[in-house]
Amino acid sequence: MTFEPVLIGFTCNWCSYRAADLAGTSRTKYPPNIRLVRLMCSGRLDPTFVLKALAEGADGVLITGCHPGECHYLEQNYKALRRYHLLRRTLQSLGIEAERVKLVWASASEGLQLAEAIRQFTEEIRALGPLRWNARPELRSEDAPLEAVP
Amino acid sequence: MNRITIDPITRLEGHGKIEIFLDEQGEVANAYLQIPELRGFEQFVVGRPVEEMPQITNRICGVCPEAHHMAAAKAIDAVYSVTPPPTARKLRELLYSAFYVTDHTTHFFALGGPDFIMGPDAPVAERNILGVIHKVGLEIGKQVIQARKYGHRVIKIIGGRKIHPATAIPGGMTKCLSEEERQEIETMGRWAVDFAQFALGLFDEVVLGNPEYRDLILSDIYTHRTYYIGLVDAENRVNFYDGMVSVVSPEGERIGKYAPDEYREWIAERVEPWTYLKFPYLKKIGWKGFVDGADSGVYCATPLSRLNASDGMATPLAQEQYERFFETLGGKPVHHRLATHWARLIELLYAAERWVELATDPEITSPKVHTVPTATPSEGVGIVEAPRGTLTHHYWTDERGIVTKANLIVGTTNNYAPISMSITKAARAFIRAGEVVTEGLLNRIEMAFRLYDPCMSCATHSLPGQMPLEVVIRDARGEPVEKLRQFC
Amino acid sequence: MSKPKFSMYWGASCGGCDIAVLNIHEKILEVDETFEIVLWPVAVDAKYADVEALPDGDITLTLFNGGIRNEENEHMARLLRRKSQILVAFGSCASEGCVPALANLYPRERLFETVYAGPTTENPEGRRPLERAAVPEGELHLPKFYPTLRTLDEVVEVDYIIPGCPPESHQIAAVLDVVFAALRGEAELPPKGSVLGAGISTVCEECPRKRDVKKIRAFRRIQDGPADPEICLLEQGILCAGPATRDGCGALCPLAGAACIGCYGPSEGVVDYGARLMSAVASVIDSRDPEEIERILDGIPDPAGAFYRFNLAGSLLRRGR
Ligand code: SF4
Ligand code: SF4
Ligand code: SF4
Ligand code: FES
């Protein structure tokens, strides 16, 4: 069976969500693997959302926001930027490839670029393989002992 | 033939168990003390910044977190090749002395001492702190609580928290001592000296004054001729916080002293498949099994061991007691394990005296409590004497000071082999030709390991000082015919 | 009328939680007066057999400390759940895994390898502890060591949580007062699932250090130089877990010049402790430049430990399984 990555995209309402919309209406194809979740601004992105997505089965998380200097709430996308960098390091430190989370800037008019970014991310995650958190062999020894206890 | 198992009720319960096997004649063939717990600190400290070790390794044991805090503090100083200012060093030792007072007090009055004060044959229900209070008076109970409170107060003032202190860092401490705090600590320390003397007086009266108990102390059942180790200062006097580890033979001869970073030349550990805990032994002598004598690498690290391994105590009142101890018991070394209780009280007095010395040290309130480390971190060993034995922390780090490897040899673990031997010996003495004095057996075996004040929290990270035991006596077909159980 | 029953038990624990309860001093006598203590290994003589013989739900209150690391811990957790009306996850180990749960970052075999082939271990035969080991006289058994450490609520249903490593004694006393009052019919027990013996805010709220929302351009380690005794540690670049950690201790560590390391667990409403702390830490960084941000973050050498020191077993991604 081929592996189809499950991706979650957290998109800013003002830019990238519209870009995605645009991509949709202009029939620019982007892979169906991604499910977009709209935020009012990338600054709203709580690292919890990302962790939750990964914990509940996503293989990768894409975060999108307005280009630097274009955030409707001024500085908020820089906040997202800092969180993103920190989050990637923490994931790495927890044994999860940092590449599973990616930040992309896209303005409302950049539907094509966004579609391309999604396609690229999908391929990157496809190459990484499934996160399959529950089944990570280095976490669990094969003789699953928990079942041994009634 | 009977098979005897001293076992938790099922193998799923309790944190330690003893199995005794009988031979065809009904004599004890062997006894095993199994430790069923492991937490793996040596592995999961890897990757952590080394300055966190005093706080992370604290969590090995809530009974003696201070010991881990201090061993770790010394190891991280060594990792950064940094010498803390004298005041920081003294503050650590002051905290540690106060901790010894609480810890030894708890053991003598609540855990081990009741065997003596109440008598080894007193009913189980009376051999506890309440029984002691009943026998020697409520006033004493209050004093015991006071001693514990005072000790914890000092730990809180210097360490920031009562359990799991927080203030030792590479190069010193995060907090200095105010004059007001110093005064409070001094007053409490003076009280502690009186209390320690009172405890020794009680021991004189109740134990030494009773020929039956004296005989018990001197009896062969509780005697083992092993090596002894303990931390000593430059004049070979007992020290809890700093110095070199002195090693003496069963004949009482000092066969060497090692600095912390030489410990690997001296100590090795053996793995047995029937327990999660390892058995340390003297590497130079070698592992010969669970046996006494100069050819066996088994050593002991307890209050008794520290007295045996040293030439005296560094404070005047404790020194007097030290001399009396060896005079009374026939010279050095003393192999009578029950004398450990007495040795513990002498250490209690030393700790209290040291508490006052440090609290009145003119440097103790200096604000200079930290030296900023400048060297590249690499590797370091820290050794302190935990109340239950020599405690060794060894860390390796990368150049950023991130732990890459760790080795811990923990207080109680040192004594795992001697404890096992004491249990076997007591079992042999009280089980003869399949005849078992059931209640007596439990009491005597308990006494055999309780004198070590074993802390399985430290050893395995699960159980503070007490061990739930059950004796199951089985007939030849392995069917239990009688069960006895208690916490000791 | 017979007294309500009380028990306290340890799983994989350091014993500090038991000591913290003993340190409530006089209150212990009230516990003794109010309850019949049916099981409390550190303090009283009792028999497991007696606990097993009790009808289900017969114990009114059980405080369970320590995590679930092996078969024996799990067995006792299940037994005490069955026998108890109120089961409390007591302390950090039972409620979120605490420091020992950092072991979940490594597979079990690595733990064994490190411990049983360590620098002072002489083990040429490569021996490991075995669940069934043959000795000359017969066979000996050990409980199974699980691949990860789990919190109590991953194994059984838990009614309340009392956080802290260990919980502060005055907080324990306060919780017991509520229980005593409830037993006398003078008060209601808090709703199930509540966190007791702590606040609903953060350690920062209790911390007297001054904050002026200053941003930093570098993190530093505690040993790197003197810290100002009055200013917020985080604003001095020292990683302090105060902003994500539940209040209740009185900010003990920052008061003693040390950073809060997070032992009281997540503050109210926080789903993932580390995520919350990451947000707080990211917000003090003074930079908009990806490269500079990376350079600043180099000052946090161990993110897993820094953000999940006490909370790994309770985290979204690394809970024990
Ligand atoms: S929560 Fe802390 S004090 Fe309690 S058992 Fe765990 S490590 Fe010990
Ligand atoms: S971050 Fe730490 S030092 Fe700063 S206010 Fe919060 S608890 Fe206090
Ligand atoms: S300051 Fe933080 S680490 Fe220290 S006791 Fe309070 S919650 Fe625990
Ligand atoms: S509004 Fe788009 S990132 Fe802030």
Side-chain angles (χ1 to χ4, degrees):
Chain A
M1 214 174 79
T2 54
F3 162 56
E4 280 305 327
V6 176
L7 307 176
I8 300 290
F10 292 103
T11 51
C12 161
N13 174 54
W14 298 98
C15 48
S16 37
Y17 194 80
R18 292 176 187 205
D21 232 21
L22 186 70
T25 47
S26 62
R27 298 192 193 284
T28 309
K29 283 242 164 54
Y30 60 85
N33 303 59
I34 197 158
R35 253 201 66 203
L36 297 183
V37 179
R38 175 162 49 160
L39 303 174
M40 283 313 283
C41 167
S42 67
R44 282 289 163 82
L45 182 91
D46 182 329
T48 313
F49 302 165
V50 179
L51 300 183
K52 215 167 164 119
L54 294 174
E56 289 180 1
D59 299 300
V61 174
L62 189 71
I63 305 155
T64 66
C66 310
H67 285 282
E70 292 172 12
C71 171
H72 286 227
Y73 305 91
L74 303 172
E75 295 281 303
Q76 293 299 308
N77 54 357
Y78 292 115
K79 190 161 127 192
L81 179 72
R82 292 187 287 263
R83 286 180 178 172
Y84 162 70
H85 281 277
L86 182 52
L87 183 60
R88 276 169 56 107
R89 284 180 176 244
T90 305
L91 288 177
Q92 189 83 52
S93 173
L94 289 172
I96 299 171
E97 301 87 349
E99 295 75 30
R100 291 190 187 275
V101 179
K102 193 171 186 179
L103 175 69
V104 169
W105 304 131
S107 73
S109 60
E110 292 174 325
L112 271 175
Q113 286 89 330
L114 184 65
E116 172 56 22
I118 292 172
R119 197 198 52 75
Q120 205 185 327
F121 187 52
T122 310
E123 289 320 306
E124 284 163 12
I125 299 299
R126 196 191 303 282
L128 271 181
L131 179 56
R132 289 207 300 127
W133 190 240
N134 286 317
R136 303 220 119 192
E138 75 274 14
L139 251 195
R140 292 178 65 86
S141 302
E142 57 302 331
D143 57 331
L146 303 188
E147 280 70 79
V149 180
Chain B
M1 190 190 94
N2 284 339
R3 172 176 170 179
I4 296 170
T5 313
I6 299 183
D7 193 0
I9 282 220
T10 76
R11 76 189 183 92
L12 290 174
E13 296 168 356
H15 291 297
K17 68 175 179 174
I18 296 170
E19 290 261 1
I20 301 173
F21 292 98
L22 303 186
D23 62 19
E24 294 302 321
Q25 286 71 45
E27 301 287 336
V28 173
N30 212 346
Y32 294 86
L33 168 62
Q34 293 181 273
I35 305 300
E37 289 273 341
L38 170 76
R39 286 195 283 170
F41 273 76
E42 289 96 331
Q43 176 58 46
F44 66 73
V45 298
V46 170
R48 316 279 84 80
V50 74
E51 68 270 23
E52 293 187 8
M53 292 305 110
Q55 297 215 63
I56 287 187
T57 61
N58 265 351
R59 270 77 189 179
I60 289 174
C61 178
V63 179
C64 65
E66 296 82 1
H68 291 284
H69 197 67
M70 291 309 161
K74 291 182 67 189
I76 58 180
D77 289 346
V79 161
Y80 280 95
S81 314
V82 62
T83 311
T87 302
R89 197 196 158 285
K90 286 173 185 169
L91 281 173
R92 289 181 185 173
E93 194 182 342
L94 174 53
L95 182 158
Y96 205 46
S97 302
F99 156 65
Y100 252 82
V101 169
T102 54
D103 198 87
H104 276 1
T105 299
T106 307
H107 186 270
F108 183 74
F109 286 96
L111 305 177
D115 286 337
F116 280 112
I117 300 173
M118 303 312 295
D121 293 317
V124 174
E126 284 175 21
R127 285 184 304 128
N128 55 36
I129 178 75
L130 295 174
V132 172
I133 290 172
H134 204 77
K135 180 157 173 181
V136 292
L138 186 61
E139 198 41 47
I140 291 181
K142 283 190 186 149
Q143 293 207 24
V144 171
I145 290 171
Q146 188 78 308
R148 281 177 52 80
K149 265 192 179 168
Y150 279 176
H152 281 126
R153 176 81 189 129
V154 177
I155 294 163
K156 166 97 188 275
I157 291 173
I158 301 174
R161 311 181 71 213
K162 271 191 251 179
I163 298 170
H164 302 323
T167 52
I169 57 172
M173 303 288 278
T174 60
K175 176 182 182 289
C176 55
L177 195 67
S178 73
E179 172 55 24
E180 216 183 351
E181 291 168 329
R182 188 205 66 75
Q183 281 173 15
E184 187 187 349
I185 291 176
E186 182 190 338
T187 311
M188 295 188 291
R190 295 198 184 282
W191 182 90
V193 174
D194 290 346
F195 173 76
Q197 286 179 290
F198 155 78
L200 275 155
L202 186 71
F203 188 83
D204 265 4
E205 191 186 310
V206 178
V207 181
L208 299 178
N210 181 334
E212 224 180 289
Y213 290 178
R214 276 180 83 126
D215 289 350
L216 191 69
I217 290 181
L218 298 175
S219 84
D220 181 61
I221 299 167
Y222 295 107
T223 301
H224 278 286
R225 314 179 75 79
T226 63
Y227 286 85
Y228 299 98
I229 71 168
L231 203 58
V232 293
D233 66 14
E235 278 114 85
N236 294 327
R237 298 172 308 188
V238 170
N239 197 293
F240 299 143
Y241 176 76
D242 211 1
M244 289 177 82
V245 179
S246 159
V247 183
V248 300
S249 70
E251 285 77 40
E253 190 194 330
R254 180 167 293 124
I255 64 164
K257 285 206 286 185
Y258 65 86
D261 60 2
E262 297 163 345
Y263 81 104
R264 275 187 294 171
E265 290 162 35
W266 286 84
I267 308 291
E269 295 171 288
R270 182 179 174 80
V271 178
E272 291 286 350
W274 45 267
T275 180
Y276 282 111
L277 192 59
K278 293 181 282 187
F279 295 92
Y281 59 95
L282 290 175
K283 195 174 180 178
K284 300 193 178 203
I285 314 295
W287 176 261
K288 308 281 157 53
F290 297 91
V291 286
D292 282 33
D295 293 336
S296 165
V298 169
Y299 69 88
C300 192
T302 59
L304 175 66
S305 311
R306 290 190 283 262
L307 264 48
N308 280 335
S310 67
D311 296 345
M313 309 300 284
T315 55
L317 297 174
Q319 174 61 21
E320 275 172 35
Q321 292 286 338
Y322 178 94
E323 285 162 19
R324 203 165 66 95
F325 177 84
F326 286 110
E327 270 162 33
T328 312
L329 296 173
K332 241 197 282 188
V334 166
H335 296 297
H336 308 300
R337 294 297 201 238
L338 287 175
T340 306
H341 292 291
W342 189 2
R344 191 170 283 119
L345 292 180
I346 297 171
E347 288 194 339
L348 170 67
L349 179 55
Y350 163 70
E353 286 184 279
R354 193 74 191 119
W355 173 346
V356 174
E357 274 181 16
L358 289 161
T360 52
D361 188 295
E363 262 183 336
I364 199 78
T365 48
S366 156
K368 177 138 185 45
V369 293
H370 186 226
T371 308
V372 177
T374 50
T376 306
S378 61
E379 182 187 344
V381 182
I383 292 187
V384 298
E385 278 298 326
R388 295 155 193 86
T390 312
L391 171 60
T392 308
H393 282 209
H394 185 181
Y395 313 132
W396 289 258
T397 73
D398 64 14
E399 71 292 343
R400 295 173 308 155
I402 304 303
V403 177
T404 53
K405 190 159 105 174
N407 195 35
L408 310 170
I409 302 177
V410 181
T412 291
T413 311
N414 289 289
N415 301 313
Y416 190 15
I419 293 171
S420 302
M421 286 155 54
S422 289
I423 288 167
T424 308
K425 197 161 184 181
R428 290 213 166 110
F430 296 105
I431 301 170
R432 274 280 141 83
E435 279 283 311
V436 182
V437 190
T438 50
E439 186 65 29
L441 176 75
L442 250 186
N443 292 355
R444 301 302 210 251
I445 289 179
E446 258 179 66
M447 284 177 70
F449 70 75
R450 192 140 62 174
L451 66 91
Y452 293 92
D453 189 9
C455 174
M456 295 310 162
S457 260
C458 269
T460 72
H461 326 323
S462 155
L463 172 76
Q466 317 229 337
M467 212 179 282
L469 278 185
E470 188 185 52
V471 178
V472 182
I473 301 168
R474 298 174 195 276
D475 66 18
R477 292 184 309 279
E479 298 295 321
V481 292
E482 197 171 344
K483 278 189 189 184
L484 281 163
R485 177 171 180 79
Q486 69 192 62
F487 291 94
C488 16
Chain C
M1 207 190 87
S2 69
K3 291 196 232 174
K5 297 187 174 70
F6 168 92
S7 87
M8 178 152 190
Y9 189 76
W10 45 38
S13 110
C14 82
C17 280
D18 284 281
I19 306 279
V21 176
L22 290 174
N23 283 351
I24 62 176
H25 303 300
E26 299 73 27
K27 268 263 136 51
I28 280 292
L29 300 177
E30 211 176 325
V31 172
D32 193 41
E33 255 165 47
T34 312
F35 290 107
E36 180 192 338
I37 301 175
V38 291
L39 180 73
W40 190 4
V42 79
V44 298
D45 173 17
K47 298 183 171 70
Y48 291 126
D50 297 347
V51 175
E52 264 167 17
L54 295 173
D56 286 358
D58 198 44
I59 302 173
T60 303
L61 176 65
T62 291
L63 306 180
F64 192 103
N65 71 85
I68 308 299
R69 181 77 260 196
N70 68 24
E71 201 178 2
E72 172 185 88
N73 305 147
E74 177 164 2
H75 173 84
M76 284 307 289
R78 292 189 188 280
L79 175 69
L80 288 167
R81 171 67 283 182
R82 255 200 334 272
K83 303 296 174 189
S84 311
Q85 286 158 36
I86 304 171
L87 178 68
V88 179
F90 188 94
S92 177
C93 284
S95 59
E96 49 170 1
C98 191
V99 161
L102 289 172
N104 291 6
L105 291 171
Y106 298 100
R108 173 171 55 180
E109 194 37 51
R110 273 280 283 288
L111 259 65
F112 280 5
E113 185 64 26
T114 299
V115 174
Y116 302 113
T120 39
T121 311
E122 300 268 316
N123 188 10
E125 308 95 330
R127 296 183 186 186
R128 294 284 185 275
L130 301 171
E131 283 163 49
R132 293 166 172 276
V135 294
E137 299 84 5
E139 194 181 63
L140 295 171
H141 303 266
L142 288 172
K144 192 188 286 283
F145 184 81
Y146 290 159
T148 56
L149 183 143
R150 288 175 297 165
T151 59
L152 184 60
D153 75 345
E154 287 176 84
V155 175
V156 295
E157 201 186 316
V158 164
D159 300 310
Y160 299 108
I161 285 172
I162 299 183
C165 174
E168 285 295 310
S169 297
H170 72 278
Q171 296 283 18
I172 300 169
V175 172
L176 286 172
D177 278 337
V178 173
V179 174
F180 295 150
L183 286 172
R184 288 192 302 264
E186 292 162 10
E188 293 256 324
L189 282 173
K192 288 228 159 155
S194 305
V195 174
L196 309 180
I200 52 166
S201 181
T202 66
V203 173
C204 291
E205 289 298 309
E206 301 185 292
C207 178
R209 287 176 178 265
K210 281 203 285 289
R211 273 170 295 165
D212 5 282
V213 212
K214 194 181 147 284
K215 295 211 164 192
I216 57 153
R217 300 195 140 248
F219 287 102
R220 43 169 290 209
R221 315 246 298 257
I222 190 100
Q223 66 269 33
D224 288 347
D228 186 292
E230 258 141 46
I231 296 174
C232 165
L233 292 164
L234 192 55
E235 292 184 0
Q236 300 183 59
I238 295 169
L239 247 183
C240 180
T245 307
R246 190 181 286 270
D247 58 325
C249 69
L252 286 174
C253 301
L255 275 173
C260 169
I261 57 173
C263 83
Y264 259 69
S267 52
E268 191 80 10
V270 169
V271 177
D272 188 272
Y273 177 87
R276 173 64 188 265
L277 189 54
M278 278 187 269
S279 295
V281 167
S283 67
V284 300
I285 295 173
D286 183 16
S287 174
R288 302 161 157 202
D289 171 49
E291 270 170 40
E292 194 188 20
I293 293 172
E294 281 293 312
R295 193 183 48 69
I296 294 172
L297 290 177
D298 283 340
I300 305 177
D302 170 28
F307 299 114
Y308 292 100
R309 195 179 288 107
F310 284 86
N311 201 257
L312 203 64
S315 70
L316 278 171
L317 288 181
R318 277 292 196 173
R319 45 177 56 249
R321 286 166 208 265

